[in-house]
Amino acid sequence: MADNIKSVDNSGLSEATQKTLDLDDKYKSGKYGAGIFGDTMTEACPNYIESPCEWVKQHGNSWIVLGRDRPASRASGYAGQGHTQASAIDIVVGRGDPVPTSDTNVDPDFSNDAARIYISQKTDLDINFGITPNPATPDNPWQAVRSQLKSRSVSGIGIKADAVRIIGDMGIKLVTRTSATNSKGGAIAPNGIELIANNNDTDLQPMIKGKNMVEALAGLEQKVNELSSLVLNFLKDQSSYNNTIASHTHVSVPVVGGPTTPSIECVPAGINAAISTAEAMVDNFKGRINMNITWHNRYLNPASSKYICSQYNKVN
């Protein structure tokens, strides 16, 4: 909460109203008009610019407007363009925030009005609320356009306030695409859920699917253990061979400086080491193929049913 916000701020009242209140002892004493214990109170409230098609209900700075799609001036939205099937309900509190003024005429302001629930039969929801489109990428240059097209000329509900909480004592489900067509009868493709912090989706990434991720890491753990065992066995054989080399002796022959006989200890040790090395190379090759093809394609390939990333849902 901003530190400079006053509990009672009448700075937005008209000069004539403020002078009247300054001379009213009952108001200054809090006997009426001060809002204590939910009593009526005098506070600044802007003047809403109505469209002829709208039915407006106001109490203080609380508003319900039944009309047609209108996110700003009377020329805005599908009402401004004269479209049919564009009915709307705008529920607003705190027009003209942070400090409304009584002598100001205002249109709907989706950015600055304090809190709003907006329901429209036909609207451009993401554009109206200033929601960032998914950025274009080299692989998907039209992503930004497609992102905003998802909410273009279709029905929508927007909820905006300083703080929004959705509470379900028995759970909350966010569900997409329960129908294959939208409210206009158009076909809709499968769509997911995007959690976008700070209205910045430059690093929007697919969510991880937990069970697939656990299975993938367990498989990777097994492959790493198999590789460790392979290396350990090879090191044991190599160590044995090295020890044999270090302690081997040759059988002498009568001719000085002539050829000697092969070491009785080294030959079998060398053969065993060669066999172990060959087997280790084959197992290593198999392990690399298994890791690079089987494991990779199963968990890191978007076409696989075991892909660790969600196909639809994203988060930043």
Side-chain angles (χ1 to χ4, degrees):
M1 181 177 177
D3 294 334
N4 61 343
I5 299 298
K6 300 177 182 179
S7 297
V8 177
D9 188 347
N10 287 326
S11 58
L13 292 172
S14 66
E15 184 177 352
T17 301
Q18 190 62 62
K19 287 181 178 180
T20 301
L21 295 178
D22 289 341
L23 298 174
D24 193 326
D25 293 334
K26 290 183 179 180
Y27 173 78
K28 291 189 292 183
S29 67
K31 291 183 178 179
Y32 76 89
I36 304 299
F37 297 123
D39 194 7
T40 58
M41 70 181 306
T42 304
E43 62 176 329
C45 184
N47 303 306
Y48 177 63
I49 302 173
E50 294 186 27
S51 291
C53 68
E54 293 176 339
W55 177 88
V56 180
K57 182 67 175 179
Q58 174 201 3
H59 188 74
N61 205 356
S62 302
W63 308 75
I64 299 177
V65 179
L66 277 64
R68 302 207 310 275
D69 182 56
R70 178 191 171 188
S73 72
R74 286 173 290 181
S76 68
Y78 290 100
Q81 300 176 44
H83 283 220
T84 59
Q85 291 82 47
S87 297
I89 301 174
D90 194 14
I91 303 173
V92 189
V93 294
R95 290 193 191 275
D97 262 11
V99 182
T101 56
S102 296
D103 55 359
T104 301
N105 299 322
V106 298
D107 291 305
D109 189 337
F110 281 28
S111 296
N112 297 314
D113 293 342
R116 164 176 273 106
I117 299 176
Y118 186 73
I119 306 172
S120 181
Q121 186 180 5
K122 181 193 291 185
T123 190
D124 299 337
L125 203 61
D126 286 357
I127 294 175
N128 295 342
F129 280 92
I131 298 174
T132 182
N134 293 336
T137 64
D139 296 332
N140 195 352
W142 296 103
Q143 183 166 271
V145 176
R146 292 195 190 99
S147 175
Q148 288 197 332
L149 283 176
K150 288 181 181 179
S151 67
R152 291 286 292 271
S153 301
V154 293
S155 65
I157 299 176
I159 302 174
K160 184 179 183 296
D162 290 337
V164 176
R165 305 290 187 268
I166 301 175
I167 301 164
D169 288 336
M170 298 183 65
I172 294 172
K173 292 184 179 182
L174 302 179
V175 183
T176 67
R177 198 174 182 264
T178 59
S179 173
T181 58
N182 60 25
S183 63
K184 309 304 178 187
I188 52 177
N191 288 288
I193 297 166
E194 297 179 359
L195 304 180
I196 304 174
N198 303 313
N199 202 24
N200 182 350
D201 60 2
T202 54
D203 193 32
L204 200 64
Q205 300 179 15
M207 296 182 188
I208 295 297
K209 301 180 75 172
K211 291 182 179 179
N212 287 357
M213 185 65 174
V214 170
E215 183 178 319
L217 292 179
L220 179 62
E221 181 183 35
Q222 180 181 348
K223 301 304 178 186
V224 171
N225 288 337
E226 291 174 357
L227 178 61
S228 297
S229 298
L230 186 152
V231 173
L232 178 60
N233 291 334
F234 174 77
L235 291 175
K236 288 179 179 179
D237 291 332
Q238 185 65 48
S239 176
S240 175
Y241 182 70
N242 292 343
N243 291 335
T244 302
I245 290 291
S247 61
H248 85 282
T249 59
H250 293 277
V251 179
S252 63
V253 296
V255 181
V256 178
T260 62
T261 59
S263 170
I264 298 175
E265 297 87 356
C266 287
V267 171
I271 293 174
N272 289 336
I275 294 174
S276 297
T277 301
E279 291 176 345
M281 291 176 65
V282 172
D283 290 341
N284 181 269
F285 178 75
K286 290 180 179 178
R288 290 170 60 191
I289 294 298
N290 198 5
M291 179 66 71
N292 293 338
I293 296 180
T294 305
W295 189 88
H296 179 93
N297 286 341
R298 178 176 295 172
Y299 299 109
L300 303 183
N301 185 349
S304 171
S305 62
K306 293 291 187 179
Y307 186 46
I308 63 174
C309 293
S310 171
Q311 183 178 358
Y312 303 112
N313 305 319
K314 298 179 177 63
V315 69
N316 65 348

